[in-house]
Each structure stands twice: as structure tokens, then as C-alpha cells.
Amino acid sequence: MRNPLLTSAFLTCLAIGTAAPAHPQEPAQECATDARPANTAIVEGTVRDRATAVPLQDVTVRLTWFQSRGARQSERTVETDRSGAYRFCEAPAGLVFSVVAEGGSARSRPESMMLGDGERAAVDLRMNAAYSRVRGRVIDHENNQPIAAAVVDLGQGALRRLTADDGTFQLDSIPAGVYTVRVQHVAYAELRDSIAVDHLARLQVTIRIAPTAIPLDPIEVVVRSGTLELRGFYDRQTRGIGTFLSRQEIDAMHALRGTDILRRVAGIRLVQQRNWPGLMAIGRGNCPYRFVIDGVRINEGYSIDEMPPTWIEGIEIYAGPSQVPIEWTSFSSDPNGNCGVIVVWTRNRA
């Protein structure tokens, strides 16, 4: 994500979590009173986090009712906008209905009521949000020295911290959404910019501020996978040995099969197996690659076509024994265990 930055600071973020940033919705539209159908009412309100009272965007609000005894349940749904607001312009009048907010595994307490024709009701809902976390450090733009006693504010009272002597801060229990980052210090110009926080994200940020307003580069946020971070994928990638494919790179290939991914890697040849419908990955010297799936070594003959590409979070490819990390060098019962290794990490599909 890149945002224009016309203030006196530069903020870089490293996001560990899901890949997709939150997208602010347009505000909930007002109801057209002149075209309102008969026997309808208006229900509106906001959805907020139970602990912090922060408005929750992109939350589903569900309105349900029964038209008559024995009838199937009817329902309508809307998504909250960037201010946490929702609105139903055609709620059923004269019938008992229920309103509830849902997001992931979290759910608000259902609120039930009955309204007359043309009536309007405000129903505010509270639920436990899927929290994210922001850790960071505020430093001087010119000398990279930490700045203590700077105020880091995400626009909500509960989401404000003062930096420590080493310039660090931490904000916990942050619901997903788009926030305005504001950093203030008596000796520096103020920073204002926006940042998207996804569900269950872990953000590590470095904020650079300057005494006077100067034009700097825009914000650049790099999204990293929490699964690959825990598995050491990025640590091994920084060593510069092997070929690494992240979830974003794999998605961009639009591959139909796992071997469609491997076709794009230099040094891999795909051949038909004799007693199996899948293709085998062959490396230098007609040596078949061995596979490691989520840290478990797989026996000879495995084909990556057995796994849909949508299951794959990341792939590490090591062309020969000199490249293979020590944790995957031992295939004790495999006569060809010194060939290259393909390490596959699967996505969390819960």
C-alpha cells in the first residue's frame, strides 16, 4: 500500500499477518423517505468493539424475521462503513425482528424489537473484535536517534501511547480498520497519515520525524505472512540461497496445478511418473527433488499436483545438497536423498 505523504515524517511498516489490507467503505447511505415502501421501518446504528469502543468496519450486520408462523426465516445483511455505521432502510414493520453483528467467530448480542410503519430506531451493537497489534519506534529523521515522550495516536482515546526512552511504543487490542496515524512532539513537526490494519495483523513500524516540514517518500507497507514468519521462511530468504515464492507471488501466477508453479523455476524439469498420474520434479543429473510439507519429509514419488495451489502459503526450492538447510538434509532411508529439496508451507485454511 502506498499513500501520499506531504508531512514532515516518514513511516515504514512491516506487517505480519494476512495479506489483504482493510479497504474503507463508503458511508452508509441515507434512506430515500419519498420512495419508502409501505409497511417498512428504518433501523440504523453503529457497531463498536466491546472493550475499546472503537468503531468496527467491514462487519456484517444481519436483520432477521419470520413473516408468519411456520414460515422460513427471512433476512437482510449490510456491511458497516468506515465509521462502524450501518442502516436498513426497509426493515419489516409490524413484525418482531432481530439485529446482530457478526465478524469472524465474534458475534454481538442480538437485539429484538418491533416497529410501526415509517418508524425509525437506533440500535448500537457491541462485539469483541479480532484484535491486531502495532509495535514501533519513533526516531529522528536526520540522525536516527530515538525520540522519547512522543505521542503516537491512532485517533481513538484508547489507542494512544507515549514513546519510552528508547523511542519504542506498543498498541494492543486494535480492531481491524483504517486509522489516521498522528505523531506529536514539542520539538518536531507533526506527522499525519493513514494506515490499514487487517484482522489479526502484527505491525512493526518505524516512524521518522523531522524538526521542520520536508517532502519525503510516501508510506510503503510490506505485508508478510505470519505462517512463513514463524517457520523461518524470511530468515532463510535473507541468506540468498535457494529460490523463494511467497503467497502473493503464487497468487499472481494464477496456477491451476502445483506443477504450473514449478515450471517457472529455472533448473526444474517435470516428467511423467510411471505408476502415478502426477508429474515428478527433476533436478540436475536426473535427480528427483524430495519434498518437505509443513516440516515433514515426504517419501519418494510425491507430486506437488496432489495439493491445490490455493493451499500453498510459500515454497522454498534448494537445487542441490550444498543449498539445503541442515534441518532438511537427512533422508536416511532414501538412496537419492542428496538431491534437491522443495519445501512447501501450507496456508491456514481454518
Side-chain angles (χ1 to χ4, degrees), residues 117-276:
D117 184 26
E119 287 189 333
R120 191 176 194 133
V123 181
D124 292 330
L125 303 172
R126 297 291 185 270
M127 61 183 289
N128 295 324
Y131 291 139
S132 299
R133 183 187 67 209
V134 175
R135 289 177 175 173
R137 194 165 182 243
V138 179
I139 60 177
D140 187 290
H141 168 68
E142 296 180 353
N143 56 28
N144 292 328
Q145 292 301 305
I147 299 175
V151 177
V152 181
D153 188 356
L154 296 189
Q156 303 290 336
L159 302 179
R160 180 183 300 126
R161 290 291 184 274
L162 200 66
T163 58
D165 291 341
D166 60 355
T168 59
F169 66 91
Q170 178 169 320
L171 291 161
D172 296 307
S173 301
I174 302 174
V178 176
Y179 295 89
T180 298
V181 180
R182 185 172 67 172
V183 182
Q184 295 176 302
H185 191 280
V186 293
Y188 292 83
E190 180 180 298
L191 156 70
R192 281 180 182 266
D193 209 339
S194 62
I195 185 172
V197 179
D198 205 359
H199 293 280
L200 299 176
R202 297 293 182 264
L203 301 181
Q204 184 70 38
V205 305
T206 299
I207 304 175
R208 301 174 184 273
I209 58 178
T212 58
I214 57 175
L216 295 172
D217 293 335
I219 289 178
E220 185 169 344
V221 179
V222 179
V223 182
R224 298 178 74 174
S225 163
T227 298
L228 298 183
E229 185 79 22
L230 291 173
R231 300 292 192 172
F233 178 96
Y234 299 111
D235 291 337
R236 289 186 292 274
Q237 187 178 34
T238 57
R239 300 172 192 168
I241 300 175
T243 300
F244 293 77
L245 298 173
S246 67
R247 176 174 180 164
Q248 290 76 27
E249 293 168 316
I250 294 170
D251 286 345
M253 294 179 183
H254 304 291
L256 299 178
R257 295 175 298 274
T259 47
D260 293 337
I261 302 171
L262 299 183
R263 291 181 197 278
R264 309 193 185 193
V265 179
I268 292 183
R269 185 164 51 90
L270 299 169
V271 299
Q272 185 68 50
Q273 300 189 75
R274 294 180 181 179
N275 301 317
W276 192 257

Side-chain angles (χ1 to χ4, degrees), residues 19 30 49 52-53 67 73 78 88 101 106 111 149 151 160 168 185 191 198 202 226 228 242 278 293 327 330 336 349:
E30 288 289 343
D49 174 55
T52 65
Q67 194 69 37
Q73 178 176 277
V78 295
F88 293 98
E111 300 289 344
V151 177
R160 180 183 300 126
T168 59
H185 191 280
L191 156 70
D198 205 359
R202 297 293 182 264
L228 298 183
I293 310 296
E327 55 263 45
S330 175
N336 293 320
R349 301 185 299 279

